Amino acid sequence: RAELMELFRERMYGREPSAPKDISFEVTKVVPDAFGGLSTMKEVRIMLDPSGEHYLVMLMFVPNGAGKPVPAFLGINFKGNHTTTDLEEVSLPDEVQLRNYGPGYQVPERGLNARRWPYEYILEHGYAVCTFCVHDPEPDLKGHYDYGIRKVYDGGSPRPDSWGSVSAWAWSLCRALDYLCKDPSVDARRVAVIGHSRLGKTALWAGAMDRRFAMVVANDSGCSGAALSRRVYGENLGIINTSFPYWFCSNYKEYNDAEASLPFDQHELIAMIAPRPVYVASASEDLWADPYGEYLSLVYATPVYRLFGYDGFSDTSMPAAGDSKVIGRMGHHIREGQHDCILYDRERFI
Ligand code: GTR
């Protein structure tokens, strides 16, 4: 495990800094009766560096009346906490957040992505949901290195193995978990890290790095997520490293058009999560993300789950669209339709 983690760090994600020693938190808002009393809503400011210039604003919904700490889903959102719901109480990004997003950022409209965040459904099933905006730690925009947290810890000049933004986002999920360990309403031993697409790639790396995450859910994570790179199907390394040169470390670019020379493949990332539960979800029309390659990663990680005494997937034929299965500590489904994260996916993760 140590050898593989070192290879992933050096060659792909880059090296993340260690956890800050005295990270501070501040609960900035509490709404005890959100969603008609179903939930307590909180906003928590989680500092990422000692200067106070970089922080996450984590939005949390915790079901009311559980009488004990509840399990939680923790995942990053693409466009801002206020886009995940129509609730007026959710704050818009503040001045510090906007400054760290870089110049010219247009704040998207409230509720824009609400259909991807079925809070009430998740809460009714007894889970808390926690999320923050991807741009809080590190803007998801080319050429924005000067604005994010990476630069602070790099001392201003990145090396070939300095962390890319996927690593910075994953590290920030760990900082959010640091906070959850101190929040008595949540059972920090049962936090699932979850993400869609680029944030599914991020959830997998966060789950590999930090064994405090109890479960990992990667939805449509594709190239450099769950999909095997050596299949070179749909998005490949040359494409991803050109479109998003800041997602991974510079060393990773050495494998553009040279996937066969990678010293690992993505099934080994899944194996780094063993023996904890892992769920890989695909969509039948999301060929860019290579649904078959995503599934095969589970198959080829199964021997590692077996080492720990758990079963997994052994059938190398592609499951049919609409298939959904949990075997041992691995889950998989292939939803009919396009690249997205909809209620159908959430139902199965729950
Ligand atoms: C695409 C990218 C994919 C995936 C997706 C997303 O443009 O090629 O790797 O990350 O974005 O995050 O929605």
Side-chain angles (χ1 to χ4, degrees):
R1 185 174 195 283
E3 184 184 332
L4 281 167
M5 287 300 288
E6 168 61 20
L7 282 171
F8 277 120
R9 283 198 169 93
E10 188 196 289
R11 311 308 310 168
M12 180 174 181
Y13 299 97
R15 297 180 196 283
E16 77 286 358
S18 48
K21 279 201 183 63
D22 297 308
I23 196 123
S24 63
F25 318 107
E26 193 188 337
V27 178
T28 53
K29 193 183 270 188
V30 179
V31 179
D33 56 356
F35 297 122
L38 179 63
S39 157
T40 296
M41 178 193 126
K42 283 195 249 188
E43 287 175 353
V44 189
R45 192 181 288 165
I46 301 171
M47 298 298 169
L48 297 180
D49 76 325
S51 74
E53 298 295 316
H54 292 267
Y55 52 74
L56 315 171
V57 177
M58 184 162 77
L59 170 67
M60 297 176 64
F61 291 102
V62 181
N64 282 333
K68 56 175 197 239
V70 294
F73 286 101
L74 165 63
I76 305 179
N77 65 72
F78 282 78
K79 296 190 170 181
N81 294 344
H82 70 285
T83 67
T84 67
T85 168
D86 293 323
L87 284 190
E88 291 287 331
E89 289 93 336
V90 177
S91 302
L92 296 170
D94 64 27
E95 274 171 28
V96 173
Q97 287 170 289
L98 287 175
R99 194 194 58 219
N100 292 335
Y101 296 0
Y105 184 81
Q106 299 286 319
V107 178
E109 68 188 88
R110 188 178 290 282
L112 183 67
N113 264 343
R115 69 182 185 89
R116 282 207 180 150
W117 295 86
Y119 286 124
E120 287 164 275
Y121 179 83
I122 302 169
L123 289 160
E124 277 158 7
H125 285 78
Y127 298 91
V129 192
C130 313
T131 185
F132 58 87
C133 177
V134 68
H135 304 306
D136 278 5
E138 184 70 32
D140 183 19
L141 291 161
K142 217 190 261 193
H144 276 54
Y145 179 76
D146 282 345
Y147 300 95
I149 193 66
R150 288 188 297 154
K151 185 179 180 185
V152 174
Y153 285 95
D154 285 351
S157 46
R159 292 170 307 278
D161 63 348
S162 289
W163 52 341
S165 65
V166 166
S167 169
W169 300 328
W171 180 86
S172 304
L173 285 162
C174 305
R175 305 293 68 82
L177 184 56
D178 294 343
Y179 166 76
L180 292 176
C181 290
K182 302 200 169 165
D183 185 322
S185 66
V186 165
D187 182 351
R189 290 162 312 161
R190 288 190 295 159
V191 175
V193 63
I194 182 168
H196 167 63
S197 203
R198 65 197 68 186
L199 300 175
K201 310 181 206 300
T202 302
L204 288 167
W205 182 232
M209 283 202 298
D210 192 334
R211 286 189 262 196
R212 296 175 303 168
F213 286 116
M215 169 166 156
V216 182
V217 182
N219 191 72
D220 300 359
S221 60
C223 177
S224 305
L228 292 175
S229 302
R230 276 173 179 72
R231 274 178 44 79
V232 196
Y233 185 100
E235 188 172 29
N236 62 36
L237 266 52
I239 296 173
I240 205 168
N241 281 328
T242 305
S243 316
F244 306 102
Y246 57 99
W247 280 1
F248 304 99
C249 76
S250 333
N251 282 337
Y252 197 43
K253 298 183 176 64
E254 288 175 21
Y255 306 98
N256 291 356
D257 303 315
E259 281 86 353
S261 63
L262 278 164
F264 49 73
D265 211 323
Q266 296 306 105
H267 62 298
E268 288 169 309
L269 177 62
I270 307 275
M272 295 299 95
I273 296 163
R276 292 164 293 149
V278 63
Y279 198 114
V280 171
S282 305
S284 62
E285 292 165 26
D286 185 15
L287 301 182
W288 188 240
D290 187 14
Y292 188 35
E294 292 177 314
Y295 171 72
L296 283 177
S297 266
L298 287 175
V299 172
Y300 295 124
T302 289
V304 177
Y305 278 76
R306 291 217 170 112
L307 270 180
F308 287 101
Y310 299 97
D311 202 5
F313 288 82
S314 49
D315 185 351
T316 53
S317 47
M318 175 64 183
D323 248 40
S324 169
K325 251 193 211 95
V326 173
I327 303 180
R329 289 183 161 197
M330 285 182 171
H332 173 265
H333 72 247
I334 172 153
R335 171 177 51 74
E336 283 187 44
Q338 298 179 357
H339 188 71
D340 203 351
C341 186
I342 62 172
L343 188 59
Y344 177 98
D345 303 302
R346 297 274 180 180
E347 286 167 353
R348 274 148 196 85
F349 304 150
I350 282 172

PDB file of all heavy atoms in Angstrom, residues 78 116 140 196-199 201 220-223 235 239-240 243-244 247 288 339, ligand 1:
ATOM      1  N   PHE A  78     -20.309  21.805  -7.258  1.00  0.00           N
ATOM      2  CA  PHE A  78     -19.628  22.493  -8.360  1.00  0.00           C
ATOM      3  C   PHE A  78     -19.800  24.010  -8.354  1.00  0.00           C
ATOM      4  O   PHE A  78     -18.943  24.726  -8.868  1.00  0.00           O
ATOM      5  CB  PHE A  78     -20.171  22.007  -9.715  1.00  0.00           C
ATOM      6  CG  PHE A  78     -19.659  20.668 -10.171  1.00  0.00           C
ATOM      7  CD1 PHE A  78     -20.164  19.494  -9.639  1.00  0.00           C
ATOM      8  CD2 PHE A  78     -18.689  20.585 -11.148  1.00  0.00           C
ATOM      9  CE1 PHE A  78     -19.708  18.252 -10.074  1.00  0.00           C
ATOM     10  CE2 PHE A  78     -18.220  19.352 -11.598  1.00  0.00           C
ATOM     11  CZ  PHE A  78     -18.730  18.181 -11.061  1.00  0.00           C
ATOM     12  N   ARG A 116     -29.696  18.005  -8.182  1.00  0.00           N
ATOM     13  CA  ARG A 116     -28.633  17.043  -7.867  1.00  0.00           C
ATOM     14  C   ARG A 116     -28.473  16.803  -6.371  1.00  0.00           C
ATOM     15  O   ARG A 116     -27.694  15.962  -5.957  1.00  0.00           O
ATOM     16  CB  ARG A 116     -27.295  17.550  -8.417  1.00  0.00           C
ATOM     17  CG  ARG A 116     -27.151  17.344  -9.892  1.00  0.00           C
ATOM     18  CD  ARG A 116     -25.673  17.218 -10.237  1.00  0.00           C
ATOM     19  NE  ARG A 116     -25.505  17.026 -11.663  1.00  0.00           N
ATOM     20  CZ  ARG A 116     -24.431  17.438 -12.344  1.00  0.00           C
ATOM     21  NH1 ARG A 116     -23.459  18.074 -11.714  1.00  0.00           N
ATOM     22  NH2 ARG A 116     -24.338  17.207 -13.625  1.00  0.00           N
ATOM     23  N   ASP A 140     -11.709  25.893  -9.702  1.00  0.00           N
ATOM     24  CA  ASP A 140     -11.691  24.886 -10.778  1.00  0.00           C
ATOM     25  C   ASP A 140     -11.639  25.609 -12.119  1.00  0.00           C
ATOM     26  O   ASP A 140     -12.544  25.488 -12.934  1.00  0.00           O
ATOM     27  CB  ASP A 140     -12.932  23.994 -10.664  1.00  0.00           C
ATOM     28  CG  ASP A 140     -12.925  22.882 -11.710  1.00  0.00           C
ATOM     29  OD1 ASP A 140     -11.844  22.586 -12.249  1.00  0.00           O
ATOM     30  OD2 ASP A 140     -14.001  22.332 -11.982  1.00  0.00           O
ATOM     31  N   HIS A 196     -19.327  13.465  -7.830  1.00  0.00           N
ATOM     32  CA  HIS A 196     -19.732  13.212  -9.211  1.00  0.00           C
ATOM     33  C   HIS A 196     -18.662  13.747 -10.156  1.00  0.00           C
ATOM     34  O   HIS A 196     -18.181  14.861  -9.987  1.00  0.00           O
ATOM     35  CB  HIS A 196     -21.076  13.911  -9.470  1.00  0.00           C
ATOM     36  CG  HIS A 196     -21.449  13.986 -10.922  1.00  0.00           C
ATOM     37  ND1 HIS A 196     -21.682  12.856 -11.683  1.00  0.00           N
ATOM     38  CD2 HIS A 196     -21.612  15.044 -11.757  1.00  0.00           C
ATOM     39  CE1 HIS A 196     -21.983  13.223 -12.927  1.00  0.00           C
ATOM     40  NE2 HIS A 196     -21.938  14.545 -12.999  1.00  0.00           N
ATOM     41  N   SER A 197     -18.314  12.910 -11.148  1.00  0.00           N
ATOM     42  CA  SER A 197     -17.436  13.346 -12.233  1.00  0.00           C
ATOM     43  C   SER A 197     -16.067  13.765 -11.720  1.00  0.00           C
ATOM     44  O   SER A 197     -15.418  12.990 -11.024  1.00  0.00           O
ATOM     45  CB  SER A 197     -18.135  14.460 -13.010  1.00  0.00           C
ATOM     46  OG  SER A 197     -17.599  14.520 -14.300  1.00  0.00           O
ATOM     47  N   ARG A 198     -15.583  14.980 -11.982  1.00  0.00           N
ATOM     48  CA  ARG A 198     -14.258  15.372 -11.474  1.00  0.00           C
ATOM     49  C   ARG A 198     -14.241  15.268  -9.943  1.00  0.00           C
ATOM     50  O   ARG A 198     -13.202  15.031  -9.338  1.00  0.00           O
ATOM     51  CB  ARG A 198     -13.894  16.783 -11.938  1.00  0.00           C
ATOM     52  CG  ARG A 198     -14.769  17.872 -11.384  1.00  0.00           C
ATOM     53  CD  ARG A 198     -14.636  19.169 -12.163  1.00  0.00           C
ATOM     54  NE  ARG A 198     -15.188  19.014 -13.512  1.00  0.00           N
ATOM     55  CZ  ARG A 198     -15.126  19.934 -14.466  1.00  0.00           C
ATOM     56  NH1 ARG A 198     -14.541  21.086 -14.224  1.00  0.00           N
ATOM     57  NH2 ARG A 198     -15.653  19.720 -15.648  1.00  0.00           N
ATOM     58  N   LEU A 199     -15.394  15.460  -9.348  1.00  0.00           N
ATOM     59  CA  LEU A 199     -15.465  15.363  -7.887  1.00  0.00           C
ATOM     60  C   LEU A 199     -15.613  13.914  -7.427  1.00  0.00           C
ATOM     61  O   LEU A 199     -15.371  13.602  -6.261  1.00  0.00           O
ATOM     62  CB  LEU A 199     -16.586  16.269  -7.362  1.00  0.00           C
ATOM     63  CG  LEU A 199     -16.361  17.739  -7.738  1.00  0.00           C
ATOM     64  CD1 LEU A 199     -17.546  18.604  -7.328  1.00  0.00           C
ATOM     65  CD2 LEU A 199     -15.060  18.272  -7.129  1.00  0.00           C
ATOM     66  N   LYS A 201     -13.647  11.687  -9.022  1.00  0.00           N
ATOM     67  CA  LYS A 201     -12.201  11.416  -9.017  1.00  0.00           C
ATOM     68  C   LYS A 201     -11.642  11.849  -7.654  1.00  0.00           C
ATOM     69  O   LYS A 201     -10.808  11.174  -7.038  1.00  0.00           O
ATOM     70  CB  LYS A 201     -11.478  12.219 -10.119  1.00  0.00           C
ATOM     71  CG  LYS A 201     -12.078  12.117 -11.528  1.00  0.00           C
ATOM     72  CD  LYS A 201     -11.271  12.922 -12.550  1.00  0.00           C
ATOM     73  CE  LYS A 201     -12.043  13.415 -13.764  1.00  0.00           C
ATOM     74  NZ  LYS A 201     -12.679  12.471 -14.642  1.00  0.00           N
ATOM     75  N   ASP A 220     -19.859   8.433 -11.960  1.00  0.00           N
ATOM     76  CA  ASP A 220     -19.408   8.870 -13.293  1.00  0.00           C
ATOM     77  C   ASP A 220     -18.022   9.520 -13.220  1.00  0.00           C
ATOM     78  O   ASP A 220     -17.778  10.581 -13.817  1.00  0.00           O
ATOM     79  CB  ASP A 220     -20.404   9.870 -13.908  1.00  0.00           C
ATOM     80  CG  ASP A 220     -21.818   9.292 -14.075  1.00  0.00           C
ATOM     81  OD1 ASP A 220     -22.023   8.114 -13.742  1.00  0.00           O
ATOM     82  OD2 ASP A 220     -22.701  10.036 -14.527  1.00  0.00           O
ATOM     83  N   SER A 221     -17.108   8.875 -12.518  1.00  0.00           N
ATOM     84  CA  SER A 221     -15.806   9.513 -12.240  1.00  0.00           C
ATOM     85  C   SER A 221     -14.837   9.422 -13.417  1.00  0.00           C
ATOM     86  O   SER A 221     -13.921  10.230 -13.537  1.00  0.00           O
ATOM     87  CB  SER A 221     -15.175   8.891 -10.992  1.00  0.00           C
ATOM     88  OG  SER A 221     -14.964   7.508 -11.181  1.00  0.00           O
ATOM     89  N   GLY A 222     -15.006   8.445 -14.285  1.00  0.00           N
ATOM     90  CA  GLY A 222     -14.302   8.391 -15.568  1.00  0.00           C
ATOM     91  C   GLY A 222     -12.790   8.416 -15.517  1.00  0.00           C
ATOM     92  O   GLY A 222     -12.156   7.890 -14.589  1.00  0.00           O
ATOM     93  N   CYS A 223     -12.202   9.050 -16.519  1.00  0.00           N
ATOM     94  CA  CYS A 223     -10.753   9.108 -16.701  1.00  0.00           C
ATOM     95  C   CYS A 223     -10.060   9.670 -15.461  1.00  0.00           C
ATOM     96  O   CYS A 223     -10.439  10.729 -14.966  1.00  0.00           O
ATOM     97  CB  CYS A 223     -10.429   9.985 -17.914  1.00  0.00           C
ATOM     98  SG  CYS A 223      -8.676  10.202 -18.201  1.00  0.00           S
ATOM     99  N   GLU A 235     -12.363   9.681 -22.756  1.00  0.00           N
ATOM    100  CA  GLU A 235     -11.343  10.656 -22.360  1.00  0.00           C
ATOM    101  C   GLU A 235     -10.047   9.907 -22.015  1.00  0.00           C
ATOM    102  O   GLU A 235     -10.069   8.905 -21.306  1.00  0.00           O
ATOM    103  CB  GLU A 235     -11.822  11.441 -21.143  1.00  0.00           C
ATOM    104  CG  GLU A 235     -10.927  12.609 -20.783  1.00  0.00           C
ATOM    105  CD  GLU A 235     -11.535  13.496 -19.691  1.00  0.00           C
ATOM    106  OE1 GLU A 235     -12.298  12.991 -18.859  1.00  0.00           O
ATOM    107  OE2 GLU A 235     -11.232  14.707 -19.703  1.00  0.00           O
ATOM    108  N   ILE A 239      -5.841  14.014 -23.316  1.00  0.00           N
ATOM    109  CA  ILE A 239      -6.980  14.947 -23.372  1.00  0.00           C
ATOM    110  C   ILE A 239      -7.179  15.616 -22.011  1.00  0.00           C
ATOM    111  O   ILE A 239      -7.295  16.835 -21.901  1.00  0.00           O
ATOM    112  CB  ILE A 239      -8.271  14.210 -23.806  1.00  0.00           C
ATOM    113  CG1 ILE A 239      -8.134  13.664 -25.238  1.00  0.00           C
ATOM    114  CG2 ILE A 239      -9.481  15.131 -23.697  1.00  0.00           C
ATOM    115  CD1 ILE A 239      -9.289  12.776 -25.683  1.00  0.00           C
ATOM    116  N   ILE A 240      -7.201  14.810 -20.960  1.00  0.00           N
ATOM    117  CA  ILE A 240      -7.509  15.387 -19.639  1.00  0.00           C
ATOM    118  C   ILE A 240      -6.395  16.341 -19.200  1.00  0.00           C
ATOM    119  O   ILE A 240      -6.661  17.413 -18.638  1.00  0.00           O
ATOM    120  CB  ILE A 240      -7.778  14.274 -18.591  1.00  0.00           C
ATOM    121  CG1 ILE A 240      -8.655  14.808 -17.459  1.00  0.00           C
ATOM    122  CG2 ILE A 240      -6.508  13.665 -18.014  1.00  0.00           C
ATOM    123  CD1 ILE A 240      -9.201  13.731 -16.541  1.00  0.00           C
ATOM    124  N   SER A 243      -6.903  19.603 -21.359  1.00  0.00           N
ATOM    125  CA  SER A 243      -8.076  20.416 -20.997  1.00  0.00           C
ATOM    126  C   SER A 243      -7.967  20.943 -19.567  1.00  0.00           C
ATOM    127  O   SER A 243      -8.425  22.037 -19.272  1.00  0.00           O
ATOM    128  CB  SER A 243      -9.360  19.602 -21.087  1.00  0.00           C
ATOM    129  OG  SER A 243      -9.400  18.838 -22.244  1.00  0.00           O
ATOM    130  N   PHE A 244      -7.405  20.126 -18.689  1.00  0.00           N
ATOM    131  CA  PHE A 244      -7.378  20.483 -17.259  1.00  0.00           C
ATOM    132  C   PHE A 244      -5.961  20.301 -16.718  1.00  0.00           C
ATOM    133  O   PHE A 244      -5.709  19.431 -15.878  1.00  0.00           O
ATOM    134  CB  PHE A 244      -8.362  19.592 -16.483  1.00  0.00           C
ATOM    135  CG  PHE A 244      -9.758  19.612 -17.042  1.00  0.00           C
ATOM    136  CD1 PHE A 244     -10.233  18.560 -17.819  1.00  0.00           C
ATOM    137  CD2 PHE A 244     -10.604  20.695 -16.814  1.00  0.00           C
ATOM    138  CE1 PHE A 244     -11.520  18.577 -18.347  1.00  0.00           C
ATOM    139  CE2 PHE A 244     -11.894  20.726 -17.341  1.00  0.00           C
ATOM    140  CZ  PHE A 244     -12.353  19.668 -18.119  1.00  0.00           C
ATOM    141  N   TRP A 247      -5.361  19.830 -12.821  1.00  0.00           N
ATOM    142  CA  TRP A 247      -6.020  18.830 -11.961  1.00  0.00           C
ATOM    143  C   TRP A 247      -5.019  17.891 -11.285  1.00  0.00           C
ATOM    144  O   TRP A 247      -5.219  17.441 -10.161  1.00  0.00           O
ATOM    145  CB  TRP A 247      -7.018  18.000 -12.769  1.00  0.00           C
ATOM    146  CG  TRP A 247      -8.340  18.670 -13.004  1.00  0.00           C
ATOM    147  CD1 TRP A 247      -8.717  19.919 -12.595  1.00  0.00           C
ATOM    148  CD2 TRP A 247      -9.478  18.123 -13.704  1.00  0.00           C
ATOM    149  NE1 TRP A 247     -10.010  20.183 -12.995  1.00  0.00           N
ATOM    150  CE2 TRP A 247     -10.507  19.109 -13.668  1.00  0.00           C
ATOM    151  CE3 TRP A 247      -9.734  16.917 -14.348  1.00  0.00           C
ATOM    152  CZ2 TRP A 247     -11.758  18.896 -14.267  1.00  0.00           C
ATOM    153  CZ3 TRP A 247     -10.983  16.713 -14.929  1.00  0.00           C
ATOM    154  CH2 TRP A 247     -11.982  17.699 -14.884  1.00  0.00           C
ATOM    155  N   TRP A 288     -17.814   8.898 -22.584  1.00  0.00           N
ATOM    156  CA  TRP A 288     -16.623   9.715 -22.298  1.00  0.00           C
ATOM    157  C   TRP A 288     -15.925   9.217 -21.029  1.00  0.00           C
ATOM    158  O   TRP A 288     -14.699   9.272 -20.913  1.00  0.00           O
ATOM    159  CB  TRP A 288     -17.070  11.173 -22.145  1.00  0.00           C
ATOM    160  CG  TRP A 288     -15.992  12.200 -22.039  1.00  0.00           C
ATOM    161  CD1 TRP A 288     -15.778  13.052 -20.995  1.00  0.00           C
ATOM    162  CD2 TRP A 288     -15.004  12.533 -23.025  1.00  0.00           C
ATOM    163  NE1 TRP A 288     -14.728  13.881 -21.254  1.00  0.00           N
ATOM    164  CE2 TRP A 288     -14.224  13.585 -22.493  1.00  0.00           C
ATOM    165  CE3 TRP A 288     -14.698  12.038 -24.289  1.00  0.00           C
ATOM    166  CZ2 TRP A 288     -13.157  14.153 -23.191  1.00  0.00           C
ATOM    167  CZ3 TRP A 288     -13.624  12.611 -24.977  1.00  0.00           C
ATOM    168  CH2 TRP A 288     -12.877  13.651 -24.424  1.00  0.00           C
ATOM    169  N   HIS A 339     -24.407  11.343 -18.469  1.00  0.00           N
ATOM    170  CA  HIS A 339     -23.523  11.830 -17.406  1.00  0.00           C
ATOM    171  C   HIS A 339     -24.303  12.771 -16.479  1.00  0.00           C
ATOM    172  O   HIS A 339     -24.681  13.871 -16.885  1.00  0.00           O
ATOM    173  CB  HIS A 339     -22.389  12.593 -18.097  1.00  0.00           C
ATOM    174  CG  HIS A 339     -21.282  13.014 -17.191  1.00  0.00           C
ATOM    175  ND1 HIS A 339     -20.385  12.127 -16.642  1.00  0.00           N
ATOM    176  CD2 HIS A 339     -20.909  14.244 -16.744  1.00  0.00           C
ATOM    177  CE1 HIS A 339     -19.502  12.786 -15.920  1.00  0.00           C
ATOM    178  NE2 HIS A 339     -19.808  14.077 -15.949  1.00  0.00           N
TER     179      HIS A 339
HETATM  180  C1  GTR B   1     -15.357  16.812 -18.327  1.00  0.00           C
HETATM  181  C2  GTR B   1     -14.085  16.047 -18.089  1.00  0.00           C
HETATM  182  C3  GTR B   1     -14.378  14.817 -17.289  1.00  0.00           C
HETATM  183  C4  GTR B   1     -15.286  15.075 -16.107  1.00  0.00           C
HETATM  184  C5  GTR B   1     -16.340  16.119 -16.382  1.00  0.00           C
HETATM  185  C6  GTR B   1     -17.036  16.705 -15.153  1.00  0.00           C
HETATM  186  O1  GTR B   1     -15.163  17.925 -19.110  1.00  0.00           O
HETATM  187  O2  GTR B   1     -13.550  15.711 -19.331  1.00  0.00           O
HETATM  188  O3  GTR B   1     -13.165  14.238 -16.879  1.00  0.00           O
HETATM  189  O4  GTR B   1     -14.554  15.433 -15.012  1.00  0.00           O
HETATM  190  O5  GTR B   1     -15.841  17.203 -17.068  1.00  0.00           O
HETATM  191  O6  GTR B   1     -16.425  16.929 -14.121  1.00  0.00           O
HETATM  192  O7  GTR B   1     -18.229  16.992 -15.285  1.00  0.00           O
END
